[in-house]
Amino acid sequence: MSFLPTRIWPVACLLSLSGSVWAATATVESTARGPVALGSKVWFLGKVDGQGVYMNFAVNGVPGGNATYGKLNSQNGEYIAPSVLPSNVVITITGTTTKDAKLGANLSASTTLTLKKAATPTPTPTPSPTPEPTPSPTPTPAPTPTPTPAPAPVPPPIGQQPAPDAAKISAVRLLEQATFGATPADVAAIKANGQAAWLKQQFALPASAVPVTTDMKLLQNTWYKNMATGPDQLRQRMIFALSQLFVISADKNPYANEIQPWLTTISNNAFGNFNTLLREMTLNPSMGKYLDLGNSITPSPNENYAREVMQLFTLGPVLLNQDGSVQTDRNGDPIPTYDQARISDFARALSGWTYAGSSATGINWESFTGPLQPRDKFHDKGSKTLLLGAVLPAGQTAVQDMDGVMQNLFQHPNLPPFIATRLIRAFVTSNPSPAYITRVADVFAYGAAGRGDLQATLTAVLTDPEARQDQPGATQGHLKDPMLQSIGLFRTLGASVTDPTNLFWDYFLLGQKITAAPSVFNFYSPMTRLPGSPQYYGPEFQLYAPSLAVARANFLYKFISGEYKSMVNVDITPFVSVAGNATTLINLVDATLLAGRMSATARQAIGTAVNASTDPRQRAISALYLAAISAEFAVAQ
């Protein structure tokens, strides 16, 4: 179900220490061999009794260093010399261990480093070429020039396109990011009151109901209708995003009562604090079954949740900088966030939890009526080493150890950039700039409402200048997945959702049946690269192989043509009524689906298809269908 990074970085938190406490000697070593040039890199490693340990480094007494003396990353020991020579060229590097049960106290050690100006290369003179004798030219006939064909004339777009409405485009772009699709009412509200007022109103709306039921059909239908028609659209989009982060699946939890607690927990905490969401999800009985934390007991606790809570829910497999970039070691390899030993210790720390039930002291069978309950006699009480060298002492209860794990994850420096990147990709763009990630991660980490505030973080995602520029660049935006593209079409056309039950089979064929992700990695991996351009991310393209693209187009056609009207009824009468005039029809389709942003190329192609028929209904279907499957509608920018 998961993978483990194969390369292990030998720092303190990954090694056991040996020797007596009283004999411990700390040292700081570097790769420097003589003075270090400005702007270059040097690597430092702390040791205790000759073994590598994790140390917090300071440069001339400044934790982590600064621009004057150079910056030193305690995570990987990377030191980058300053660009300007300081007044004192001798720099002191001090490393301090974290408190460890075996050391008994923090240990410190120092070393020095001498800086120098970067060497200026001396140019090598280029020798003058020796002229060679020039042979007498042999006359050759001049080639006959080939006439360049005139470019084929490009026909003008069908009719006159109305001038763009900048306020409407701005409103629609926000709604495409923050809802399941723009409706005329929401567009009007944003144009009248502004984006900030709309966001404030959305944050204040109560959550659409999630039924407590054993009927999977009822649960799926209700969730789908909440997404398609619920007034709390921003919450529904956040639920959708978080459901693909904290994944469970009906493949293992086949009954509605085994899914409902998970969905309710996400809904209740969508705009709350991530710390609360993480803790409640850890003890959620739905998650307890799916990743086996329920009844994970000593002496052989299950490692599934311990692994995935680090890899997929909070931190990711490699260490990150605040801008989302990957931290590398001195060989240029990514530094793992954790190793197998940490997975084992996390599993031990999270052992001893069972389901709610009749026994108040023993193990209960699966029950989904409440959170998991602690059972100390089934909890591993040995000492555990967590991430970044943190240690849980022996003898603690299941509650105390779980609290220590939650704090270790919540305070980890990877969490802000990890969550920032996932939310930006879910709502705005697959390829955010490092500056965008940093701004959102800073709000998550240091916001006025405290670390982990999801409402403030989501606001930062949606109001960032990179999200709100209404003429986005070619690499911005993201491909809509099947849910977003289809429900977006329904909402913008004012469709009525009657009985979506039979739709879920079609969504399954398209790779996205709600409540039934194929694995804990979600419907598509957030690390999927853009086909043909691997320098960019394009997660949703994992569900857009050629066969799936054709299947999705056919799926949308069935709604527009009325074949699926018993499930979702799309009224195309307004389009049929103006279909006699191709220009009027295309302008209406453009204004409804694309807010007047249809390109000249698309207008011409759709106009050609429209003019191939004289039947008003078929002309309307052709125009709507081609616009709905175009890149201009399929990609949210």
Side-chain angles (χ1 to χ4, degrees):
M1 181 175 294
S2 178
F3 67 88
L4 179 69
T6 57
R7 188 179 185 283
I8 306 303
W9 175 243
V11 293
C13 61
L14 310 183
L15 292 175
S16 61
L17 300 178
S18 61
S20 303
V21 172
W22 60 268
T25 301
T27 57
V28 173
E29 299 178 4
S30 78
T31 59
R33 297 295 180 265
V36 174
L38 296 177
S40 60
K41 291 183 181 180
V42 174
W43 303 87
F44 285 88
L45 178 65
K47 290 185 176 181
V48 172
D49 290 342
Q51 289 188 317
V53 300
Y54 176 85
M55 285 187 176
N56 291 312
F57 288 112
V59 183
N60 278 8
V62 179
N66 56 24
T68 302
Y69 306 123
K71 296 183 179 181
L72 206 171
N73 188 335
S74 296
Q75 298 288 348
N76 59 2
E78 179 189 61
Y79 170 81
I80 301 177
S83 57
V84 178
L85 204 64
S87 57
N88 187 347
V89 298
V90 179
I91 303 300
T92 299
I93 308 297
T94 302
T96 304
T97 65
T98 57
K99 188 171 183 179
D100 185 278
K102 294 182 178 180
L103 298 179
N106 293 344
L107 298 178
S108 294
S110 297
T111 188
T112 59
L113 190 70
T114 301
L115 301 176
K116 68 176 182 178
K117 292 183 178 180
T120 303
T122 303
T124 302
T126 303
S128 301
T130 302
E132 297 181 2
T134 304
S136 300
T138 301
T140 57
T144 303
T146 303
T148 302
V154 179
I158 296 294
Q160 182 65 40
Q161 185 175 24
D165 180 346
K168 179 179 181 180
I169 290 173
S170 182
V172 167
R173 286 195 68 250
L174 174 64
L175 292 169
E176 285 179 339
Q177 295 167 355
T179 74
F180 279 91
T183 65
D186 280 335
V187 171
I190 291 177
K191 290 179 69 176
N193 304 314
Q195 297 182 355
W198 183 85
L199 287 171
K200 181 178 180 181
Q201 181 258 349
Q202 281 288 308
F203 281 125
L205 283 176
S208 294
V210 176
V212 179
T213 179
T214 58
D215 184 346
M216 184 64 84
K217 172 184 172 181
L218 175 61
L219 183 66
Q220 289 175 327
N221 284 1
T222 302
W223 188 10
Y224 188 86
K225 288 183 177 181
N226 288 347
M227 290 189 283
T229 63
D232 57 329
Q233 278 290 294
L234 184 58
R235 182 184 296 271
Q236 293 305 316
R237 273 300 300 273
M238 189 64 156
I239 293 171
F240 189 60
L242 292 174
S243 73
Q244 297 181 72
L245 176 68
F246 292 97
V247 176
I248 71 167
S249 175
D251 287 352
K252 186 172 181 179
N253 296 33
Y255 303 108
N257 64 309
E258 299 180 1
I259 298 287
Q260 175 269 324
W262 163 80
L263 186 58
T264 299
T265 292
I266 293 175
S267 178
N268 290 345
N269 293 284
F271 300 150
N273 192 281
F274 187 86
N275 190 26
T276 303
L277 172 60
L278 176 62
R279 289 169 179 268
E280 291 189 8
M281 190 58 71
T282 300
L283 299 182
N284 189 284
S286 303
M287 184 62 75
K289 176 176 180 178
Y290 187 65
L291 287 181
D292 306 301
L293 190 63
N295 293 341
S296 171
I297 61 177
T298 190
S300 300
N302 191 287
E303 295 181 351
N304 279 347
Y305 187 78
R307 180 187 305 106
E308 309 308 356
V309 74
M310 289 188 282
Q311 180 181 194
L312 299 177
F313 301 168
T314 59
L315 308 180
V318 296
L319 292 179
L320 303 173
N321 297 306
Q322 189 77 341
D323 64 1
S325 59
V326 175
Q327 293 188 19
T328 56
D329 62 19
R330 66 193 68 191
N331 298 314
D333 296 322
I335 304 173
T337 311
Y338 56 88
D339 66 347
Q340 179 57 43
R342 299 290 72 71
I343 294 173
S344 177
D345 277 8
F346 267 65
R348 292 171 53 226
L350 294 173
S351 63
W353 293 86
T354 190
Y355 298 92
S358 58
S359 174
T361 58
I363 297 299
N364 291 312
W365 179 241
E366 293 172 1
S367 170
F368 303 90
T369 58
L372 301 181
Q373 300 178 353
R375 297 291 186 266
D376 284 340
K377 67 180 180 180
F378 298 102
H379 173 64
D380 186 312
K381 296 181 178 59
S383 174
K384 301 99 178 172
T385 301
L386 305 183
L387 301 174
L388 304 180
V391 175
L392 298 177
Q396 291 200 141
T397 65
V399 172
Q400 289 172 323
D401 274 1
M402 195 276 284
D403 182 70
V405 168
M406 295 297 101
Q407 282 296 319
N408 192 238
L409 293 172
F410 185 62
Q411 297 297 334
H412 195 285
N414 259 36
L415 183 63
F418 180 85
I419 297 300
T421 303
R422 290 299 301 267
L423 291 181
I424 292 171
R425 285 184 177 152
F427 285 88
V428 178
T429 179
S430 297
N431 294 282
S433 70
Y436 186 5
I437 295 173
T438 299
R439 290 189 292 268
V440 175
D442 284 348
V443 171
F444 183 97
Y446 315 116
R451 185 180 182 88
D453 184 82
L454 290 174
Q455 178 172 326
T457 303
L458 181 55
T459 301
V461 169
L462 295 172
T463 60
D464 190 88
E466 199 164 317
R468 297 277 50 84
Q469 51 184 336
D470 290 332
Q471 292 184 336
T475 62
Q476 291 180 274
H478 65 97
L479 178 70
K480 298 174 184 175
D481 60 28
M483 281 285 178
L484 287 176
Q485 188 172 0
S486 58
I487 296 179
L489 178 66
F490 304 156
R491 286 179 60 81
T492 195
L493 291 177
S496 58
V497 180
T498 50
D499 184 3
T501 303
N502 292 332
L503 292 183
F504 299 127
W505 173 250
D506 291 89
Y507 282 117
F508 169 74
L509 296 177
L510 296 175
Q512 195 177 29
K513 180 182 178 181
I514 58 171
T515 73
S519 78
V520 72
F521 291 97
N522 184 27
F523 301 104
Y524 43 86
S525 168
M527 305 307 291
T528 300
R529 298 285 182 161
L530 188 65
S533 300
Q535 69 272 32
Y536 299 116
Y537 288 96
E540 294 85 355
F541 278 89
Q542 194 170 343
L543 300 184
Y544 210 62
S547 60
L548 289 175
V550 172
R552 194 188 302 189
N554 291 338
F555 183 59
L556 298 180
Y557 183 85
K558 292 174 182 178
F559 297 106
I560 295 169
S561 66
E563 185 176 342
Y564 277 3
K565 65 182 179 181
S566 63
M567 294 177 268
V568 177
N569 186 32
V570 178
D571 182 9
I572 65 171
T573 302
F575 303 91
V576 175
S577 65
V578 300
N581 185 302
T583 299
T584 305
L585 172 61
I586 293 172
N587 285 347
L588 180 59
V589 170
D590 182 17
T592 306
L593 268 64
L594 297 169
R597 296 171 290 174
M598 186 182 291
S599 67
T601 302
R603 285 176 67 84
Q604 190 64 48
I606 294 173
T608 300
V610 166
N611 285 331
S613 173
T614 57
D615 178 74
R617 178 173 174 80
Q618 188 56 52
R619 286 163 70 93
I621 290 173
S622 296
L624 286 167
Y625 167 68
L626 292 175
I629 67 171
S630 70
E632 294 166 12
F633 185 79
V635 175
Q637 282 197 316

